[in-house]
Structure formats: structure tokens, C-alpha cells
Amino acid sequence: MDVSIVVLTWEDFERTDGCVRSLPDGVEAVVVDNGSAAGISDRLRAMCAETGARYVRSETNLGYAKGMNLGVRHSTRSRVVLSNNDILVRPGAIERLAAELDDPAVGAAFPKVLDATGRDQTAAGRFLTVGTGVAHATGLSLMFPQLRIVAPPERGDWLSGPFVAIRRETLDRIGGVDESSFFYSEDLRLCWAVRRLGLRLAYLPDAVVTHEDDASAKRRWAAEEISRRQTREFIRASRELAGWRGTVACSAYTLGVLARAAVGGGAARRAVARGALEGMGVR
């Protein structure tokens, strides 16, 4: 099969082992060990030797984008899947995604993502525009679904990327995974770059993976801290990618989340508000 799977891991043998063993025969698996401690690295290396996966080690944690790009450089096939290590691949999923990339109009292909209980957790949304930013701030998005930030995956401007298939040629054209962020917003940036080439995103509900959401992040941060960091990087990416329109849109969005936090939204809303403010200021 003309597919390379890059699996990025940090300090996690069990989930990585499960991910690699769920891959179909014939794919090229590349496991990037993003600076794990010696004991875990030894186990990862042994697992790769047993399964035939290629083991690539970084001595430090490079973050998501740099770690993925390192793995891509060690892969050899014309289609590449970027995979979190907390993914289990269901039969036929990779074949279905790879086949979709035969269409030259498709820039990246995304599966349906289920959690461990079988609940659909596929996430998608719209890029922040002046219209969506103002609608979110004023509450108009409640009346006009087309102005909401979230969107059905088949109509999303971007989809979350714990598992995404892309042609190597396309990845080369966009310069690999954008390394501007250490962690979070990489999927939004990748989708933005692909769509700027005039290519579309394909959502394939018949290609299914299971995913333990934020498994690495949850070992380090509470839910509120994850929300803060996710919001910060979402705002930062939206502001940087869309120029002055992005700045206007993000300003409106930030005013909206500040207002919601001020009227008693609790710890979660306060975390989102802090993240939005940080995203407006980060360079």
C-alpha cells in the first residue's frame, strides 16, 4: 500500500503500541518518539523492531508540528497519514482515505472520529471571518447557523486532525505542517493552507478511527488549561492567517467571550476568555 503513517508519541508506550498494531498490513509506519524518557524509548524501539515500524527519535520534545515534519522526512511513500498516538484504526479506514486522494481536487482526507464509547467526536468549524466573529459576539449565530463557528464536518472550512491523510506532493507544496505553534491549531493551519491551493477537504464517514481526545495534554493540564491553550492558538492562527480581516474577526470574537465570562460563565468560560486575550497578543 502506497501509504506512510507517521505516529507521533511522547511518554506513552501503551497507546502508541495499540495504534501501530491497529494499522493494516502493507503500510509504512514511522513512529516519532518526541523526547520520551529512556525506559519508554526502549520499549518503543523494541515494539517497532517487532512490528516492522521505523523508529525515529528526537532527544527533545519538538512539539506537534516539528515532530510530524521529522517523521514525514523519514517516510517514503506518496500518501502520508499524520496520526496521533492515541488512535485505533478500524478496518478499511486507511484504504478508503488513500483512495479519496486519487481525486486531484482533494487536498486532505479526514475520517469519522469516535471516542472509546462509540460517540462521534468529529470536530469541524469555520474560519473566523468578520461575519462569524460579529455573529458570535452578538448572539446572531444562534439564529443563523451558517454564521456559527462550529460546522458539520462535510461543510467545515477545517476539521480536527488527530488522523489526516494527504498527498506528499500537497504536503510539500504547503511547506509541511506549519511550525508556528508548539501544540494546537496545526489542523486549522493545515486546512487553511490546503484550501489556499484551491483544493477541497474530504470528510469520509465510512472511514472510522477511535480517538482518546487530548490524551497527551490531559497528562499535563486540567480541562480549563487545555481550553485556554486551544483558544489562544485558535485566535492566534485566525488572526495571523487572515490579515486585517482576521484581526477584526478575532477582536469581535474576543469581546463576545469576555462578555460571556463576565456574566458568570464559570471556570471554563474564564479560561476561554483568557486564551482569547492571549491569542490577540501573541506574536
Side-chain angles (χ1 to χ4, degrees):
M1 193 185 307
D2 189 21
V3 177
S4 297
I5 316 288
V6 179
V7 181
L8 182 66
T9 185
W10 171 75
E11 296 286 3
D12 191 343
F13 171 76
E14 284 75 14
R15 293 181 182 86
T16 309
D17 180 65
C19 177
V20 171
R21 294 182 189 277
S22 75
L23 301 178
D25 294 337
V27 300
E28 176 186 61
V30 179
V31 174
V32 179
D33 178 0
N34 220 0
S36 300
I40 293 176
S41 292
D42 290 344
R43 296 178 71 191
L44 289 169
R45 195 186 302 270
M47 180 271 292
C48 288
E50 178 188 345
T51 60
R54 180 170 300 170
Y55 177 82
V56 177
R57 175 167 173 81
S58 169
E59 293 303 320
T60 60
N61 188 343
L62 300 174
Y64 179 91
K66 289 183 178 180
M68 281 298 186
N69 286 335
L70 173 62
V72 171
R73 290 195 294 272
H74 284 83
S75 67
T76 64
R77 301 188 183 176
S78 69
R79 292 168 174 79
V80 180
V81 175
L82 308 177
S83 176
N84 287 16
N85 75 308
D86 52 356
I87 289 284
L88 294 175
V89 180
R90 297 200 178 182
I94 291 175
E95 293 88 342
R96 181 70 182 88
L97 293 167
E100 190 70 11
L101 293 178
D102 289 340
D103 183 347
V106 172
F110 296 80
K112 176 183 282 188
V113 182
L114 305 180
D115 67 14
T117 68
R119 183 180 61 182
D120 190 350
Q121 65 166 206
T122 310
R126 297 182 174 89
F127 295 129
L128 268 183
T129 64
V130 174
T132 56
V134 171
H136 182 81
T138 60
L140 286 173
S141 58
L142 297 175
M143 294 182 288
F144 299 99
Q146 69 273 20
L147 293 177
R148 293 174 185 169
I149 294 171
V150 298
E154 60 273 10
R155 294 200 296 273
D157 294 333
W158 59 267
L159 288 89
S160 61
F163 197 83
V164 54
I166 186 169
R167 286 186 296 273
R168 180 180 300 275
E169 173 193 11
T170 305
L171 201 54
D172 289 343
R173 288 177 67 190
I174 65 175
V177 183
D178 189 324
E179 297 181 357
S180 301
S181 170
F182 183 80
F183 198 36
Y184 292 130
S185 87
E186 303 89 0
D187 38 16
L188 186 149
R189 292 173 182 271
L190 184 142
C191 292
W192 178 278
V194 166
R195 287 168 62 91
R196 279 178 65 91
L197 295 178
L199 302 173
R200 68 178 179 87
L201 309 177
Y203 167 62
L204 306 174
D206 55 341
V208 181
V209 302
T210 61
H211 177 226
E212 185 177 344
D213 194 27
D214 288 319
S216 294
K218 287 174 181 175
R219 297 204 305 275
R220 301 178 63 183
W221 303 314
E224 290 79 9
E225 179 64 10
I226 292 173
S227 295
R228 182 181 72 84
R229 290 171 181 265
Q230 288 176 328
T231 304
R232 180 186 68 198
E233 295 306 323
F234 172 69
I235 292 296
R236 177 174 172 244
S238 299
R239 180 171 54 84
E240 291 176 352
L241 295 172
W244 69 266
R245 291 181 178 86
T247 299
V248 173
C250 292
S251 297
Y253 176 92
T254 299
L255 287 174
V257 298
L258 287 173
R260 289 171 174 82
V263 297
R269 283 190 174 177
R270 290 195 297 271
V272 168
R274 287 196 299 272
L277 285 173
E278 291 171 3
M280 291 298 297
V282 171
R283 298 293 176 185

